[in-house]
Amino acid sequence: MGRVTTRTLLLGGTGEARHLAGLFAERSGSYAVTYSLAGVTSAPRVPDVDVRVGGFGGVAGLAAYLRAERVDVVVDATHPYAARMSEHAAQACSQVGVPLVALRRPGWQEQDGDDWHRVPTLEDAAHIAAYLGRRLFLTIGRQEVGEFTFLHDTFCLVRSVDAPEVLPAYSHVVLARGPFTVEGELELLREHAIDVIVSKDSGGTATAAKLEAARRLGLPVVLVDRPAGPDVPTVEDPEAAVAMLESLASLG
């Protein structure tokens, strides 16, 4: 009897997703992978597997795709703040009866010397950051910068992969993609006399250097908590995702 190939839809966009795609590629006889991207970032980094770019058309469209492509399993390795996509994946997989595994890197943990202010929303982050300082470093992604446009007398240093469509009146944009170094972050913060950092609790190592830089400089960090995700089986690293899928395959 021949080897069974698991048709896998990998919802990507993170470094962990690319790593996982590489692990699947090493097991090409066992997995036929489609790596899906929303298409909101220009020139994204993509793995050496089949790549699909663009939305599915909501829950109904994703469910139809899973049926049409006879997908065996879905791995949600989207960004921790891509809440809508994660919810759509959970609903579509439930409708079609396809197993879903979420790959979520752990969030950051506060350490001695940190001055963190956790908030539930970006709107809260904007108000608290403006209270704490007058020169903000925004590392929140380009789509959310609009939450800070009401700040007319506060400088905002905005870093993102692509240029934001809207900006606060008093701002400067740095287009860059991680990983970043502590030394580089220290230089950037000092160059612009930053007194508050605003970030999402993305976790991982690619952008964690800013937290160490803030710790060394004694700067407050306003950290936006992650949105609650759907209740699905979850792992914290790509290797654990492969192990779970192999376990599911053995049960099937």
Side-chain angles (χ1 to χ4, degrees), residues 133-154:
R134 284 292 178 266
R135 298 186 67 83
L136 314 183
F137 180 29
L138 307 184
T139 61
I140 55 175
R142 67 181 179 87
Q143 294 179 304
E144 287 79 19
V145 175
E147 294 286 353
F148 293 77
T149 55
F150 74 92
L151 301 177
H152 299 296
D153 60 348
T154 300

Side-chain angles (χ1 to χ4, degrees), residues 3-91:
R3 177 182 295 177
V4 176
T5 300
T6 302
R7 293 178 293 274
T8 306
L9 175 63
L10 174 53
L11 305 175
T14 61
E16 290 80 8
R18 292 190 297 274
H19 182 184
L20 179 56
L23 295 179
F24 284 143
E26 294 172 1
R27 299 162 172 81
S28 58
S30 299
Y31 297 94
V33 178
T34 298
Y35 186 86
S36 175
L37 289 169
V40 297
T41 301
S42 64
R45 296 171 178 169
V46 296
D48 188 21
V49 296
D50 289 339
V51 176
R52 179 191 184 280
V53 179
F56 290 94
V59 175
L62 178 53
Y65 176 90
L66 296 178
R67 293 189 182 99
E69 299 298 323
R70 296 186 298 164
V71 173
D72 296 309
V73 65
V74 176
V75 180
D76 175 11
T78 56
H79 193 274
Y81 288 79
R84 178 176 295 180
M85 185 67 246
S86 293
E87 185 59 39
H88 286 182
Q91 293 182 30

